[in-house]
Amino acid sequence: MPTIERIHAREVLDSRGNPTVEVEAESMGRIVYAIVPSGASTGEHEALELRDRDDRFHGKGVLKAVRNVNEIIAPKLIGEELDSQERLDQIMLDLDGTELKTNLGANAILGVSLAISKLRAGIQGKWIYEILGDDYTLPVPLLNVINGGKHAGGKLAIQEFMIVPHGFDTFKEALRAGSEIYHSLKSLLKKKYGVSAVNVGDEGGFAPPIDKSADALRMLVSAIEEAGYSPAEQVSLAIDAAASEFYHDGRYHIDDKQMTVQQMLDLYSELADEFPLISIEDPFDENDFTSFSKLMKLMGKKIAIVADDLTVTNVNRIKQAMEAEAANYLLLKVNQIGSLTEALNAADLCRRGNWGVVVSHRSGETEDPFIADLAVAIKAERIKTGAPARSERTAKYNQLLRIEERLGDKAVYQGTLL
Ligand code: PGA
Ligand code: ZN
C-alpha cells in the first residue's frame, strides 16, 4: 500500500483576497493540492477557522494553521499508508483533541483531509468522486444570482436569491439555462436600475439597489421568462435568508421592518404563495430550533427547509434538529466541521433521517473543485456554488460538466428524479 511521502502547507489567497491554507501532498510521484474555503456569514457553532490575529493581512493571516500542518500534522502522517480516509482523519482528530478543532484549526485539518482524499484517488488513477462513492448522480444547482446580506453592499436582508433549473434531462442543459437566465437578469437589471445594478457580490450574483425581498424574486421570475424558460416547471427559486445576520434585539430587520417570528412566518408563506419557491435556508436565528420547526409544520411537506448555521455540518446539531423536526435538508459545508470523514458522516446521518443534502461552497472560495466530486459521490440532491460566473464558482460547475460527460449513459441528473 502506498504511503504519504510528503505534506506541505502554505498560505495562498481566496476569492475575496484573504489568506487561506493550501496543502500540497505527494505519493508515488503524484502531487495534489487542496485549498480551504472560508465563510462570511459564519455560523456561531462552526469548527474553528484559525487566524493569526496579528498585523499581517489585517489579522487574517493563517501562518499558525500552516505551521500546525507542517510541524505537527505532517510529521505524524508522513509514512502512513493511504488505506483509509477515516483512519487518517482520526489521527488528526486525536492530535487536536477538541470538539471544535481549537488546537490545530479546522482550516489546517481540512486542508490535509482533502489532500489525502485527492492522493488516494491519484494513486489509484481514479477521479475523486470514484473513490468516495460507488453509485453517482449529478446534483441540481442552486445558482445564486442576486446577492444580499453580508455578501453585497445593498439593502436586501436576505443573503441569497437563487434560480434552480431542475426541469431538464441533464446537468449540462440545466447549467445552460442557469447561464442564459443570469444574462437575461443582467439585461433586465441594467434596464430598470442602470449599469451599476449589475456590479456583483461575493458569490458572483448581481447586487442591485432593490430593497424588498419580493421584488428580487419578481425579477428572477421575469428573467426566467425573458430567457425563454418556464417558471416552476423548468426553473424554480430558492433563498438563503442567513437570518442570524439580520436578527438583533429579538427582531428580524428586513424589508424596512422589524419583524417578529410570526411576521417572518407570514412573510415566508406569502413568498411561497406568490413565487415558485422550493427551498428556504436558515429562515431564523441559528439557535432558534423552535421557529424552524414552526416553518416546517407550515410548509415542510411542500418545500425544502434547509439548515446551515443551525446545524453547521455537525452530527450532534443535526440530530438535535432531526429530533425537533426543524428542517428536512442539510446544507453540507466541509469546512464547517473540518474533516472529510465527519462531513461524510453528516451526509450518512441525513440519509438515515430522510433528509436531503445540499453540498455547498463558501462565500470565500477557491479554484479547488473538490465539492463537485463530493456532491456526485454522495448523490446529493443539490449543490449550491454561486452564480454561473467567476472562476471560483465555475470551477465547480465545470467539474460537474466533466463528470457528467465521463459518466456518459450512466449519468443521472437529480432533476429527473424529482
Ligand atoms: P458563507 O455563506 O460562506 O458566507 O457562510 C454561505 C451560506 O450562508 O450558505
Ligand atoms: Zn447559508
Side-chain angles (χ1 to χ4, degrees), residues 16 37-43 46 144 150-151 159-160 162 202-203 240-242 245 281-282 308-309 331 333 335-336 360-365 384 393:
R16 269 194 284 256
S38 169
S41 60
T42 310
E46 293 191 21
N144 182 10
K150 266 202 166 175
H151 296 167
Q159 180 177 281
E160 300 168 20
M162 295 170 275
D202 282 352
E203 298 189 351
D240 177 8
E245 302 298 331
E281 179 182 334
D282 278 354
D308 171 13
D309 292 352
L331 198 84
K333 289 167 165 168
N335 85 318
Q336 277 183 330
S360 173
H361 66 164
R362 300 307 303 246
S363 52
E365 259 301 328
K384 183 176 99 158
R393 315 295 152 188

Coordinates of all heavy atoms in Angstrom, one line a residue, residues 16 37-43 46 144 150-151 159-160 162 202-203 240-242 245 281-282 308-309 331 333 335-336 360-365 384 393, ligand 1:
R16 N -11.9 36.3 -2.1 CA -12.1 37.6 -1.5 C -10.7 38.3 -1.3 O -10.7 39.4 -0.9 CB -12.8 37.6 -0.2 CG -14.3 37.7 -0.3 CD -15.0 38.0 1.0 NE -15.0 36.8 1.8 CZ -16.1 36.1 2.1 NH1 -17.3 36.4 1.5 NH2 -16.1 35.0 2.8
P37 N -11.8 26.7 1.8 CA -12.6 27.9 1.6 C -12.9 28.6 3.0 O -12.6 28.1 4.0 CB -13.9 27.3 1.0 CG -14.0 26.0 1.7 CD -12.6 25.5 1.9
S38 N -13.7 29.7 2.9 CA -13.9 30.5 4.1 C -15.2 31.3 4.0 O -15.5 31.9 3.0 CB -12.7 31.5 4.4 OG -13.0 32.4 5.4
G39 N -16.0 31.2 5.1 CA -17.3 31.9 5.1 C -17.3 33.4 5.5 O -16.2 33.8 6.1
A40 N -18.4 34.1 5.3 CA -18.5 35.5 5.8 C -19.6 35.5 6.9 O -19.5 36.0 8.0 CB -18.8 36.5 4.7
S41 N -20.8 34.8 6.5 CA -21.9 34.7 7.4 C -21.7 33.4 8.2 O -22.5 32.5 8.2 CB -23.2 34.7 6.7 OG -23.3 33.7 5.8
T42 N -20.6 33.3 8.9 CA -20.2 32.1 9.6 C -21.1 31.7 10.7 O -21.4 32.6 11.5 CB -18.7 32.3 10.1 OG1 -18.0 32.8 9.0 CG2 -18.1 31.0 10.6
G43 N -21.5 30.5 10.9 CA -22.3 30.0 12.0 C -21.5 30.1 13.3 O -20.3 29.7 13.3
E46 N -19.7 26.7 14.3 CA -18.7 26.0 13.3 C -17.4 25.7 14.0 O -17.0 26.4 15.0 CB -18.4 27.0 12.1 CG -19.6 27.2 11.2 CD -19.3 28.0 9.9 OE1 -18.1 27.9 9.5 OE2 -20.2 28.5 9.3
N144 N -26.9 31.2 -7.3 CA -27.1 32.5 -6.5 C -26.9 33.7 -7.4 O -25.8 34.1 -7.6 CB -26.2 32.5 -5.3 CG -26.4 33.7 -4.4 OD1 -27.4 34.4 -4.6 ND2 -25.5 33.9 -3.5
K150 N -24.7 39.9 3.9 CA -23.2 40.2 4.1 C -22.4 40.1 2.9 O -21.2 40.3 2.9 CB -22.7 39.2 5.2 CG -22.7 39.8 6.6 CD -21.7 39.0 7.4 CE -21.4 39.7 8.7 NZ -20.5 39.0 9.6
H151 N -23.0 39.5 1.8 CA -22.2 39.3 0.6 C -22.3 40.4 -0.4 O -21.7 40.3 -1.5 CB -22.7 38.0 -0.1 CG -22.5 36.8 0.7 ND1 -23.1 35.5 0.5 CD2 -21.8 36.6 1.9 CE1 -22.7 34.7 1.4 NE2 -21.9 35.3 2.2
Q159 N -29.8 36.9 2.1 CA -28.4 36.9 1.6 C -28.4 36.4 0.1 O -27.5 36.8 -0.6 CB -27.6 36.0 2.5 CG -26.2 35.8 2.1 CD -25.5 34.9 3.2 OE1 -25.1 35.4 4.2 NE2 -25.3 33.6 2.9
E160 N -29.2 35.4 -0.2 CA -29.1 34.7 -1.5 C -30.4 34.5 -2.2 O -31.4 34.0 -1.5 CB -28.4 33.4 -1.3 CG -27.0 33.6 -0.7 CD -26.4 32.3 -0.3 OE1 -26.8 31.2 -0.7 OE2 -25.4 32.3 0.6
M162 N -31.8 32.6 -5.4 CA -31.2 31.6 -6.3 C -32.2 31.1 -7.3 O -33.4 31.0 -7.0 CB -30.7 30.4 -5.5 CG -29.5 30.8 -4.6 SD -29.0 29.5 -3.4 CE -30.2 29.8 -2.1
D202 N -20.1 38.8 -3.5 CA -19.1 37.8 -3.2 C -19.2 36.5 -4.0 O -18.3 35.8 -4.2 CB -19.1 37.5 -1.7 CG -18.4 38.6 -0.9 OD1 -17.8 39.5 -1.5 OD2 -18.4 38.5 0.3
E203 N -20.5 36.1 -4.3 CA -20.7 34.8 -5.0 C -21.0 35.0 -6.4 O -21.6 34.1 -7.1 CB -21.8 34.1 -4.2 CG -21.3 33.8 -2.8 CD -22.3 32.8 -2.0 OE1 -23.3 32.5 -2.6 OE2 -21.9 32.4 -0.9
D240 N -31.6 31.8 0.6 CA -30.9 31.6 1.8 C -31.0 32.9 2.6 O -30.4 33.9 2.2 CB -29.4 31.2 1.6 CG -28.7 31.1 3.0 OD1 -29.4 31.1 4.0 OD2 -27.4 30.9 2.9
A241 N -31.9 32.9 3.6 CA -32.1 34.1 4.4 C -30.8 34.5 5.2 O -30.5 35.6 5.4 CB -33.3 34.0 5.3
A242 N -30.1 33.4 5.7 CA -29.0 33.7 6.6 C -29.4 34.6 7.7 O -28.8 35.6 8.0 CB -27.7 34.2 5.9
E245 N -27.9 36.9 10.6 CA -27.2 38.2 10.3 C -28.1 39.4 10.4 O -27.6 40.5 10.5 CB -26.6 38.1 8.8 CG -25.7 37.0 8.6 CD -24.4 37.0 9.5 OE1 -24.0 38.1 9.9 OE2 -23.9 35.9 9.8
E281 N -33.5 28.5 3.1 CA -32.4 28.1 4.0 C -32.3 29.1 5.2 O -32.5 30.3 5.0 CB -31.1 28.1 3.2 CG -29.8 27.8 3.9 CD -28.6 27.8 3.0 OE1 -28.7 27.6 1.8 OE2 -27.5 28.1 3.6
D282 N -31.9 28.6 6.3 CA -31.7 29.5 7.5 C -32.7 30.6 7.6 O -32.4 31.8 7.7 CB -30.3 30.0 7.5 CG -29.2 29.0 8.1 OD1 -29.6 28.0 8.5 OD2 -28.0 29.3 8.0
D308 N -28.4 25.4 7.8 CA -27.0 25.7 7.5 C -26.3 26.1 8.9 O -25.8 25.3 9.6 CB -26.9 26.8 6.5 CG -25.5 27.3 6.3 OD1 -24.5 26.7 6.8 OD2 -25.3 28.4 5.6
D309 N -26.5 27.4 9.2 CA -25.9 27.8 10.5 C -26.5 27.1 11.7 O -25.9 27.0 12.8 CB -26.1 29.4 10.7 CG -25.3 30.2 9.7 OD1 -24.5 29.6 9.0 OD2 -25.5 31.4 9.6
L331 N -27.5 21.7 4.7 CA -26.5 22.4 3.9 C -25.2 21.8 4.4 O -24.9 22.0 5.6 CB -26.5 23.9 4.0 CG -25.8 24.5 2.9 CD1 -26.7 24.7 1.7 CD2 -25.3 25.9 3.3
K333 N -21.3 21.8 4.4 CA -20.0 22.5 4.1 C -18.9 21.9 4.8 O -18.9 21.8 6.1 CB -20.2 24.0 4.6 CG -21.2 24.9 3.9 CD -21.4 26.1 4.7 CE -22.1 27.2 4.0 NZ -22.6 28.3 4.9
N335 N -15.9 22.7 5.5 CA -15.1 23.5 6.4 C -15.8 23.9 7.7 O -15.2 24.3 8.6 CB -14.4 24.7 5.7 CG -15.3 25.9 5.7 OD1 -16.5 25.8 5.5 ND2 -14.8 27.1 6.0
Q336 N -17.1 23.7 7.7 CA -17.8 23.9 9.0 C -17.5 22.9 10.0 O -17.5 23.2 11.2 CB -19.4 23.8 8.8 CG -20.0 25.1 8.2 CD -21.5 24.9 8.1 OE1 -22.0 23.9 7.8 NE2 -22.2 26.0 8.2
S360 N -22.4 22.5 -0.4 CA -22.3 23.9 -0.5 C -20.8 24.4 -0.5 O -20.0 23.9 0.3 CB -23.0 24.6 0.6 OG -22.8 26.0 0.5
H361 N -20.6 25.4 -1.3 CA -19.3 26.2 -1.2 C -19.4 27.2 0.0 O -20.4 27.1 0.7 CB -19.2 27.0 -2.5 CG -20.3 28.1 -2.7 ND1 -20.3 29.1 -3.6 CD2 -21.5 28.2 -2.0 CE1 -21.3 29.9 -3.4 NE2 -22.1 29.4 -2.5
R362 N -18.4 28.1 0.1 CA -18.4 29.2 1.0 C -18.4 30.5 0.2 O -18.0 30.4 -1.0 CB -17.3 29.2 2.0 CG -17.1 28.0 2.9 CD -18.4 27.7 3.7 NE -18.9 28.7 4.5 CZ -19.0 28.7 5.8 NH1 -18.5 27.7 6.5 NH2 -19.5 29.7 6.5
S363 N -18.7 31.6 0.8 CA -18.7 32.9 0.0 C -17.2 33.2 -0.3 O -16.9 33.8 -1.3 CB -19.3 34.0 0.8 OG -18.8 34.1 2.1
G364 N -16.3 32.8 0.5 CA -14.9 33.0 0.2 C -14.4 31.6 -0.4 O -14.3 30.7 0.4
E365 N -14.3 31.5 -1.7 CA -14.0 30.2 -2.3 C -12.6 30.2 -2.9 O -11.8 31.2 -2.9 CB -15.0 29.9 -3.3 CG -16.1 28.9 -2.8 CD -15.5 27.6 -2.4 OE1 -14.5 27.1 -3.0 OE2 -16.0 26.9 -1.5
K384 N -24.9 24.0 -4.1 CA -25.0 25.4 -4.1 C -23.6 26.0 -4.2 O -22.8 25.8 -3.3 CB -25.6 25.9 -2.7 CG -25.9 27.3 -2.6 CD -26.6 27.6 -1.3 CE -25.6 28.1 -0.3 NZ -26.2 29.0 0.8
R393 N -16.4 29.9 -8.7 CA -17.7 29.3 -8.8 C -17.8 28.3 -10.0 O -18.3 27.2 -9.8 CB -18.9 30.4 -8.9 CG -18.7 31.6 -8.0 CD -18.8 31.2 -6.5 NE -18.1 32.2 -5.8 CZ -17.8 32.1 -4.5 NH1 -18.3 31.1 -3.7 NH2 -17.1 33.0 -3.8
Ligands
PGA1 P1 -20.9 32.0 3.9 O1 -22.3 32.0 3.1 O2 -20.0 31.1 3.2 O3 -20.6 33.4 3.9 O4 -21.3 31.5 5.3 C1 -22.9 30.9 2.5 C2 -24.1 30.4 3.2 O5 -24.6 31.1 4.2 O6 -24.7 29.5 2.8

